[in-house]
Amino acid sequence: MKLINRRRRFLRDALALTGAVALGGCDKLSETDWAPKVLGSATALSHAAQGALSRNAMAREYTEADISPEFRPNGSTDPQSAAYRALAANGFRGYRLAIGGLVAHPMSLSLDELRALPNRTQITRHDCVEGWSVIGKWTGVQLSHVLHMAQPTAAARYVVFRCYDAMDDGSEYYESLGFDDAYHPQTILAWALNGKTLPIPNGAPLRLRVPRQLGYKMAKYLRRIDLVASFKDIEGGAGGYWEDQGYQWYAGI
Ligand SMILES: Nc1nc2c(c(=O)[nH]1)N[C@H]1C(S)=C(S)[C@@H](COP(=O)(O)O)O[C@H]1N2
Ligand SMILES: [Mo]
């Protein structure tokens, strides 16, 4: 809905830029023969600009004063799989994030290794599809940095995130991103929330943050990351646990 409004506003602004029409002139437009040409070029402009926007636009960042008193946890908040329990019992000291699939350099990184990489801190808003929002300060390594280390091959199109928590239906929580979002500067693998070690309810020891999309894209309890050409053969085939239940794969805000 919002996206449609934004598109409309864009089209309107693009039309205004041509100087050819006033707002609400669509009926009149359709009565003139030059209209299709103007509309056509305006639409092309709109699409080009929108494409640039969706690739480069930054999510709003907030100030310390905006941080919510509690970062409300949602979905899985205490994974029970044996592998996760064993890691948690040991303070996640044995944790390693595996990065594989279509990459030149498959690797696995410990938490210390991840924390030693250049990091980024961002205060962003989290919007859940259920209709609530919270603001938190997240610190982690940019996913782009890790991807540069692993070097996706030419066939790679998507980044798939596999998680430690099993869902009620027996499947595993997972998510995926296209390269525009995977390489976006605000897309990070976070290990700290509000200046503290990431708590278990919010995805310890490592979770994805993609602030331009809805909460369900931000996979918690990361187990491994795979570069793939297609996600059709993974779990339900729609690119994520909630996508397999019918939610949008691109959950832009
Ligand atoms: N592994 C995993 N990641 C997940 C979920 C989940 O259940 N399991 N829930 C998603 C949903 S719907 C939301 S809104 C956010 C909640 O993040 P939070 O618990 O830090 O608020 O995590 C997302 N990532
Ligand atoms: Mo959510």
Side-chain angles (χ1 to χ4, degrees):
M1 187 62 185
K2 262 193 208 144
L3 187 61
I4 290 168
N5 282 338
R6 224 187 294 150
R7 281 220 176 101
R8 270 201 204 119
R9 224 179 305 133
F10 224 100
L11 177 59
R12 182 197 71 196
D13 294 347
L15 282 168
L17 270 179
T18 68
V21 278
L23 256 185
C26 292
D27 299 344
K28 278 214 190 87
L29 259 178
S30 56
E31 289 164 28
T32 62
D33 10 314
W34 49 265
K37 207 168 147 230
V38 172
L39 253 183
S41 64
T43 305
L45 172 63
S46 163
H47 282 164
Q50 188 103 37
L53 248 190
S54 60
R55 266 198 305 283
N56 304 321
M58 300 287 275
R60 177 168 169 196
E61 295 196 15
Y62 295 78
T63 68
E64 298 270 342
D66 299 315
I67 295 174
S68 306
E70 190 213 7
F71 200 96
R72 173 180 169 171
N74 198 43
S76 301
T77 52
D78 194 17
Q80 292 303 314
S81 69
Y84 187 81
R85 296 306 335 154
L87 284 169
N90 197 26
F92 299 107
R93 272 177 288 274
Y95 176 83
R96 296 191 81 85
L97 173 74
I99 301 137
L102 300 174
V103 294
H105 304 298
M107 57 179 76
S108 90
L109 298 167
S110 69
L111 278 176
D112 282 347
E113 287 166 342
L114 285 159
R115 289 195 194 103
L117 297 174
N119 64 68
R120 177 185 165 92
T121 294
Q122 57 198 27
I123 303 175
T124 49
R125 199 183 65 204
H126 175 108
D127 297 313
C128 176
V129 70
E130 295 164 356
W132 49 268
S133 301
V134 281
I135 293 174
K137 180 166 80 172
W138 295 93
T139 302
V141 58
Q142 289 174 317
L143 178 60
S144 63
H145 189 90
V146 173
L147 293 178
H148 284 132
M149 290 166 69
Q151 290 188 26
T153 66
R157 290 287 175 277
Y158 302 96
V159 186
V160 177
F161 304 85
R162 313 298 292 250
C163 307
Y164 274 105
D165 52 326
M167 306 310 285
D168 289 343
D169 63 3
S171 71
E172 166 189 75
Y173 201 95
Y174 77 107
E175 258 303 337
S176 61
L177 294 179
F179 278 13
D180 284 356
D181 276 288
Y183 283 93
H184 187 276
Q186 289 170 314
T187 299
I188 64 172
L189 303 174
W191 60 80
L193 168 58
N194 296 335
K196 299 198 183 95
T197 306
L198 183 57
I200 287 180
N202 299 106
L206 192 71
R207 68 98 50 94
L208 176 66
R209 297 299 307 169
V210 196
R212 299 183 311 163
Q213 294 203 50
L214 290 172
Y216 64 85
K217 297 297 292 186
M218 306 199 215
K220 306 195 280 189
Y221 316 114
L222 291 178
R223 184 165 64 75
R224 61 174 297 119
I225 292 178
D226 289 298
L227 280 287
V228 300
S230 159
F231 45 72
K232 274 206 275 312
D233 296 329
I234 299 171
E235 298 283 352
Y241 173 77
W242 284 111
E243 288 86 334
D244 286 340
Q245 337 283 318
Y247 284 66
Q248 295 286 312
W249 177 74
Y250 189 81
I253 293 166

